[in-house]
Amino acid sequence: MKYISTRGKAPVLSFEEAMLTGLARDGGLYVPENIPQMPPEAIAALAGLPYEEIAFRVMQPFLGESFTDEEFREIIARAYEGFGHAARAPLVQLAPNHFLLELFHGPTLAFKDFAMQLIGQLFQLALKRRGERVTIVGATSGDTGSAAIEAFRGLDAVDVFILFPHGRVSEVQRRQMTTPSEANVHALALDGHFDDCQARVKDMFNDFAFRDAVALAGVNSINWARVLAQVVYYFSAATALGAPHRAVSFTVPTGNFGDIFAGYIARRMGLPIERLVVATNQNDILHRALSTGGYMTSEVAPSISPSMDIQVSSNFERALFDAYGRDGAAVAQLMDELKSDGGFHISQGALQTLQETFASGRASEDETSATIARLFAETGEILCPHSAVGVKVAEEHLGTAPMITLATAHPAKFPDAVEAATGLRPPLPNRMADLYERSERVSRVANDLGAIEDLIRERRAG
Ligand SMILES: Cc1ncc(COP(=O)(O)O)c(C=O)c1O
Ligand SMILES: N[C@@H](CCOP(=O)(O)O)C(=O)O
């Protein structure tokens, strides 16, 4: 199994190399050269299996020679043993044809744990074998950062630096990043928004002198391994509801397009997914792009679903690569336009291809609050604001196939928004009940590449 860049000019890599590399050296994102196919009998055989076994069968064909089956099975077992629900990703029925896939039972209460817990173990094994040490730098609007810190804290082969937008994450998210005391963990509060954090991370990857000097690695969803781990729960949920004998649809609260791109990969592997619905908050660039073909950035407006306050949606590049017939030069040109003009127009043919797979919708702030309140009153389910965006948009796309909406975070991560909608302040699980008492450690940084690079050079241990 080989991995190629969406911009067509970077070295072709193995799974392990692509995972340790993060962003391709031509600025593109790695994707598999071919998508392994799962025939209907193999999909049918997943029904009723433990999540860990489904994970092994779905992901193993993407690994090539990188890890033995025994190593990979052990890593999967360790990755999910700390989850607070035996099913790992349980389904809850909301209405006759509408289900919620709860992805928030991992250690940091967001869907990011599914991938991050796994790649923490994969990095550890790969780096030990190679005798190498890396500096992980990540950008977060709240959840990736806490999941990464949880997965990599205390590991001797990595330093982790997480850039988050100062004042734009919830208090729980911030404390999850700033309270771990391990010396290899560094939380950096940047003066700017998430897109600034993500742009600086990409700048560091494109500064080859810095990149090579610190052995830079990335665990944002620019890293293919992150996307791959998220493919699994599309299979577990769909087979629980009758796939491959009946098709299902998914609605995915979307920001950086990683989670929904994982659903797209599941579909490409053969999972019968009728519709993949992109749900955005008021920062709705993806909804506008998929409706009109114009991908135009504008100011990020802070919302009650802060983890989706994103305008430059990294993984959309992977979808564009396929929609443009895997033409790396065409993608590179669009990305240049994005940088110079703040946007681009998707060609008619590529837009049509995208629209054959993806539908989309948006939820305003009021609609998000009203959905939290209504779902609580009607079903007793307390949604986080991101999941509420998903539910609202899913309700506009219900059809004959069962609809599965991804619940991407635990409501206790966003207690203010939930309390404002329901009057209830959801408590944190017992194991993190003292989060508000723990002391914080954080460095405030300007939105300045040189200054951030200097700080990383100084603080890293390697
Ligand atoms: C709670 C939550 N929901 C949804 C999203 C959007 O996911 P993606 O960026 O993969 O589209 C994020 C952030 O990524 C998130 O943290
Ligand atoms: N919403 C994310 C933003 C980063 O996304 P990623 O999936 O590319 O890591 C977050 O919570 O940090």
Side-chain angles (χ1 to χ4, degrees):
M1 171 57 77
K2 293 286 173 210
Y3 288 83
I4 57 173
S5 163
T6 49
R7 302 200 193 168
K9 288 205 167 133
V12 173
L13 301 180
S14 69
F15 173 81
E16 180 177 308
E17 289 164 339
M19 177 184 82
L20 294 175
T21 298
L23 196 68
R25 284 181 97 86
D26 59 3
L29 278 66
Y30 276 105
V31 288
E33 198 169 30
N34 301 299
I35 306 291
Q37 296 299 296
M38 255 194 147
E41 319 78 76
I43 297 175
L46 300 178
L49 292 179
Y51 187 86
E52 284 79 352
E53 181 60 25
I54 299 176
F56 177 79
R57 294 190 192 188
V58 169
M59 291 191 281
Q60 194 277 340
F62 289 88
L63 265 52
E65 307 296 306
S66 294
F67 298 91
T68 66
D69 287 358
E70 199 189 348
E71 285 169 341
F72 194 44
R73 279 187 189 283
E74 267 174 34
I75 281 174
I76 291 172
R78 276 203 299 275
Y80 300 121
E81 70 190 0
F83 276 50
H85 198 293
R88 312 311 184 210
L91 276 170
V92 171
Q93 188 159 18
L94 296 179
N97 217 20
H98 191 185
F99 298 80
L100 197 68
L101 182 61
E102 291 186 349
L103 299 174
F104 50 71
H105 296 286
T108 66
L109 311 179
F111 75 98
K112 311 283 180 175
D113 290 321
F114 279 89
M116 217 59 94
Q117 285 294 313
L118 187 89
I119 70 171
Q121 307 277 340
L122 291 172
F123 262 69
Q124 176 80 341
L125 178 58
L127 291 172
K128 191 170 166 209
R129 231 169 11 209
R130 290 163 166 248
E132 290 174 9
R133 192 163 209 293
V134 294
T135 304
I136 291 174
V137 180
T140 189
S141 50
D143 290 323
T144 289
S146 33
I149 286 173
E150 184 63 30
F152 289 94
R153 61 196 278 187
L155 298 190
D156 47 17
V158 289
D159 280 297
V160 194
F161 292 84
I162 297 295
L163 291 167
F164 70 88
H166 177 69
R168 291 181 182 233
V169 298
S170 78
E171 184 174 359
V172 173
Q173 290 176 316
R174 190 193 71 235
R175 286 180 168 276
Q176 283 181 326
M177 292 188 277
T178 59
T179 57
S181 56
E182 287 81 357
N184 73 328
V185 164
H186 311 268
L188 310 179
L190 181 137
D191 288 319
H193 44 69
F194 168 76
D195 290 330
D196 297 319
C197 298
Q198 180 157 256
R200 295 301 74 77
V201 169
K202 288 191 173 176
D203 289 345
M204 285 182 240
F205 273 102
N206 290 323
D207 176 350
F208 293 149
F210 175 78
R211 175 178 183 158
D212 295 337
V214 304
L216 194 63
V219 292
N220 278 105
S221 56
I222 53 174
N223 191 319
W224 167 257
R226 278 276 315 279
V227 175
L228 176 60
Q230 294 172 197
V231 175
V232 175
Y233 45 70
Y234 287 88
F235 277 92
S236 69
T239 51
L241 293 182
H245 311 297
R246 72 170 172 173
V248 297
S249 292
F250 286 92
T251 299
V252 187
T254 306
N256 234 357
F257 211 80
D259 211 7
I260 191 138
F261 191 76
Y264 165 79
I265 294 296
R267 192 173 190 257
R268 291 274 317 272
M269 290 173 73
L271 190 66
I273 300 179
E274 197 169 275
R275 303 242 79 183
L276 274 170
V277 186
V278 170
T280 71
N281 67 18
Q282 61 188 359
N283 296 295
D284 60 354
I285 184 165
L286 287 165
H287 173 50
R288 284 184 280 115
L290 289 165
S291 320
T292 67
Y295 186 94
M296 297 296 158
T297 53
S298 54
E299 262 308 293
V300 177
S303 76
I304 56 169
S305 45
S307 302
M308 287 161 36
D309 291 346
I310 297 176
Q311 287 284 309
V312 181
S313 184
S314 257
N315 283 282
F316 197 51
E317 177 167 344
R318 287 186 165 116
L320 289 168
F321 182 58
D322 278 3
Y324 276 82
R326 300 208 134 194
D327 178 348
V331 172
Q333 192 183 327
L334 294 179
M335 294 304 136
D336 285 347
E337 282 173 40
L338 177 62
K339 205 162 194 177
S340 56
D341 308 341
F344 53 80
H345 286 281
I346 303 169
S347 72
Q348 204 47 47
L351 181 61
Q352 199 179 326
T353 305
L354 288 167
Q355 288 174 338
E356 279 159 17
T357 306
F358 300 105
S360 66
R362 89 191 279 277
S364 68
E365 295 290 90
D366 286 349
E367 289 166 334
T368 305
S369 274
T371 304
I372 299 174
R374 179 170 53 80
L375 262 284
F376 177 55
E378 285 174 2
T379 68
E381 182 80 20
I382 304 183
L383 297 172
C384 91
H386 310 79
S387 313
V389 167
V391 166
K392 186 261 170 190
V393 172
E395 288 174 342
E396 294 162 357
H397 288 84
L398 295 177
T400 47
M403 174 63 80
I404 302 167
T405 298
L406 273 51
T408 49
H410 193 289
K413 287 192 103 165
F414 307 95
D416 297 341
V418 172
E419 188 174 24
T422 63
L424 272 186
R425 202 164 175 83
L428 286 167
N430 283 344
R431 67 192 146 84
M432 52 177 83
D434 67 341
L435 186 69
Y436 290 96
E437 278 94 63
R438 296 181 201 160
S439 60
E440 296 191 70
R441 193 166 54 94
V442 58
S443 303
R444 184 91 176 258
V445 293
N447 182 12
D448 173 337
L449 179 66
I452 299 168
E453 288 184 344
D454 285 346
L455 181 147
I456 292 173
R457 275 195 209 91
E458 264 166 41
R459 298 249 181 109
R460 61 187 277 274

